[in-house]
Amino acid sequence: MAKAKSVKKLKDAMQALQKSLSFSRGRSGAQPDECMSEDEIVVVPEDVKEGHFAVLAVHGERPPKRYVVSLRCLSHPVFLRLLEMASEEFGFSQAGAIAVPCRPCELERIISDL
């Protein structure tokens, strides 16, 4: 039962990530869908290249630190656990960078392990 709940949370997190990483919206020269309102148009920052996404390491009262990481992180078991924790702590309703609850040095270690 707990495993099924965990899998559902992870699936929801992955769907939210895919939605926020849509490169067809707001990318240089890309035209928004006709049915999209102005509030739904997402502009991807220039430093977020194709195959990457932005992550914020959020820990305590310190300001969050932003990283641009490869989609390969999504196959790293520790990073997947961070996404589960982020879902529990922050939810996945935010647009743009995904906030994960960890110290910047921990996220740097996970990224370097790839």
Side-chain angles (χ1 to χ4, degrees):
M1 182 74 166
K3 184 177 179 180
K5 194 174 188 178
S6 217
V7 169
K8 170 131 177 48
K9 282 184 182 181
L10 185 56
K11 184 178 177 183
D12 291 344
M14 294 301 293
Q15 287 174 340
L17 178 62
Q18 287 173 340
K19 182 179 176 183
S20 71
L21 295 177
S22 174
F23 286 100
S24 64
R25 295 193 259 173
R27 256 302 180 195
S28 54
Q31 297 296 319
D33 295 338
E34 289 179 19
C35 61
M36 292 175 64
S37 72
E38 286 185 28
D39 294 337
E40 294 175 317
I41 297 172
V42 176
V43 176
V44 179
E46 290 296 320
D47 66 334
V48 180
K49 307 232 182 305
E50 188 170 346
H52 292 76
F53 61 102
V55 178
L56 295 173
V58 179
H59 183 71
E61 297 297 318
R62 297 179 185 164
K65 188 166 181 184
R66 185 175 177 274
Y67 296 89
V68 176
V69 298
S70 170
L71 289 173
R72 291 180 299 152
C73 285
L74 297 176
S75 64
H76 194 291
V78 177
F79 191 83
L80 291 175
R81 178 63 188 129
L82 274 178
L83 288 179
E84 288 176 8
M85 292 168 54
S87 173
E88 293 167 6
E89 189 165 334
F90 307 122
F92 274 100
S93 60
Q94 79 272 8
I98 295 175
V100 293
C102 72
R103 290 186 291 242
C105 63
E106 294 170 337
L107 185 56
E108 289 171 11
R109 182 181 45 80
I110 292 168
I111 294 167
S112 70
D113 284 350
L114 293 174

